[in-house]
Amino acid sequence: MKELDQKIVEKFEGKIVRKDLTKHLKGNAVVPSYVLEYLLGQHCSTNDEEIIKHGIEKVKSIITNHFVHRDEAEIIKSLIREKGNHRIIDKISVRLNDKADRYEARFSNLGLNNIPISDAIVKANSKILTEGVWSLINVAYMAVEERNTPPWIIESVKPIQIANVDIEDYKIQRQHFTTEEWLGLLMQSIGLNPEELSTRSKLIQLSRLIPFTENNYNFIELGPKGTGKSHIFSELSPHGILISGGEISKAKLFVNNSNGSIGLVGYWDVVAYDEFAGKSKKVDRGLVDIMKNYMANKSFSRGTDVYQAEASMVFVGNTDHSVPYMMKHSHLFEALPNDYQDTAFLDRIHAYIPGWEVSKLRNEFFTDDFGFIVDYIAEILKNLRKEDCSKLYQKYFTLSNSITTRDKTAIEKTFSGLVKIIFPNLNMSEDDVKLLLDFSIECRKRVKDQLIKMDETFNDDPVYFEYEDKNGTIFKIQTLEEIEYGFTDNENKKNENTELISESYSTTTDASSESLKPKTLLLRENQTNVSYEKIFGEYLLNCNSILIIDPYIRMPYQVRNLMEFIRLVLSKKSSDQSISIHLKTFNTDEKIPEMIDTFDDLSDTLVDMDINFTYGFDESIHDRSINLDNGWIISLGRGLDIWQRTGGMLDFAEYHQEKRLCKETNIHIYKL
């Protein structure tokens, strides 16, 4: 068992489950993960293989005997009739029949409708008055002579969710984990393999949890298909509801004027709209207006009454074009229905998550290790909704005075949510606070930048998304797409010697090294549109001898990086020019013979191209740099290994540097 898994089992025994068990049992059952993990948590929350084995059989038996598959509904009805009563697992929803003055239930899979249910059960489980709740339900059968009276009797309803959690114990146990370990636990809890994700990618995934732990939080994520945008909102928590298709009525969402019944925002912590994008979709303008007021003021009016609610609003959908296209020709909200491209509505959104940064889910992205039972973490997040961590950054930083109240509220709500998710015990360093604050500001800035594109009046009072620490140092925030594809009018470069990789560098072969200037390149995690050519291509001109100092040239992708660098060198050399390249690297004793063969083969290949490639192993090297005989030094924080792992031979990024996601690093280019 992995060291992290051992710690998870030790500190959270009874609250965790091995995630491969969920995948193993779910099969074709159309049931949320929190239903399965609720059962697994009761029978398999251990690392004892024998107990797990028996627990799996028990859960299988429960699902087989009690879970209602739609194609077996008639068999279950017959079983209830023969036995007199039977406990089932199904999704139950209730409505008030005002003509008959009674509540009536509907079973999603069993197929029963208009079944009377007692007032006491409804009052004890008010959420069943909405779209439905997965529950353990005792159903009885009693034959009656009256034709209009159904024979079915609902004896009890128990929503499938953990009733109580010890929030203080949860906070105490957090202190036993480093930040990296805790991020790993959270990733595994939502079913993902933390080893496949960068820190920024983990923050993007965890930001999807903020609506569950922040009241009235408005969140949007647009991106390509197949990245799991809606998964969390349908599978993680019994306190959220996912509306498919993104279309809904005012009565269903807020309040029904005909009978005064409250809508979804009154019963759920999170109301998520799946497939929200789509320009051709019909939209009720009246609904948009009510939503604008609710998203800004937490209230809505229907008729003469004003109502309050705390539900967070989530909008997820697919983009129609690439980010470069949208940045150049339109804006990042272009895929939304036209009526939702209302700048007053969009201004209420607290965070825009860049869904295009999320990789399409492949098998290696999923975990088989231990994580929280999703229902347990869902209850924790619900309890944390009562807490406010929005001002904690002020211990170290002060936001710019140019940031408006609405922008500041958005930033602080995102920051507060991330704190509660990652640092629930509030034990944060200044660097921790900065990481979360940077991400929170960027998420709001992405909204504001698009509003400026859509309506120039938003730029009448320019907002500078920056903040200051106690020493007076100012930190300016930019979104990755700005860096990659262009700047906004309000942002300036940090200084004349610090550049961002989004600039287009000259690649002409007649440039002289004397015309070049020193610079520092700041590569952000998940940044794209980066290549060796853009970073240092023109500095290789008029160069005859190159020394590469990089201790890590051993894995196949690292050898690929070396060959791509040499290919760039070849593109810069003249036809009659010979170039010497020496690699100084390091390796483990068992790996050295393999790498000698690799480097020797590479050297033989390059001879015919007038490249003299040599190499040596030196265990004392730590720094990484490329030293050129024309005087330039390229200091590389990570050596040639500046990109995250690609998806393999069918991932176009494997063959195109500018499509790869970067690791976070600094690169300094200077002349001796």
Side-chain angles (χ1 to χ4, degrees), residues 478 483 487 493-505 516-523 527 534-535 538-539 667:
Q478 289 182 297
I483 296 172
F487 297 95
K493 300 174 201 174
K494 291 186 179 218
N495 59 61
E496 62 182 6
N497 292 322
T498 301
E499 304 177 31
L500 294 162
I501 197 65
S502 58
E503 295 191 59
S504 57
Y505 300 125
L516 301 175
K517 295 181 180 179
K519 62 184 176 183
T520 295
L521 306 178
L522 312 173
L523 299 188
Q527 184 173 337
K534 287 187 174 182
I535 296 173
E538 57 189 348
Y539 292 83
I667 298 174

Side-chain angles (χ1 to χ4, degrees), residues 201-220:
S201 295
K202 291 172 186 174
L203 285 180
I204 290 174
Q205 292 287 346
L206 292 178
S207 66
R208 294 168 172 172
L209 300 180
I210 299 176
F212 291 100
T213 196
E214 277 290 309
N215 292 326
N216 303 104
Y217 184 73
N218 307 320
F219 169 101
I220 190 167

Side-chain angles (χ1 to χ4, degrees), residues 125-143:
N125 305 281
S126 60
K127 281 190 178 177
I128 61 177
L129 284 166
T130 60
E131 291 294 280
V133 177
W134 286 96
S135 305
L136 294 166
I137 311 159
N138 280 334
V139 182
Y141 184 93
M142 182 178 293

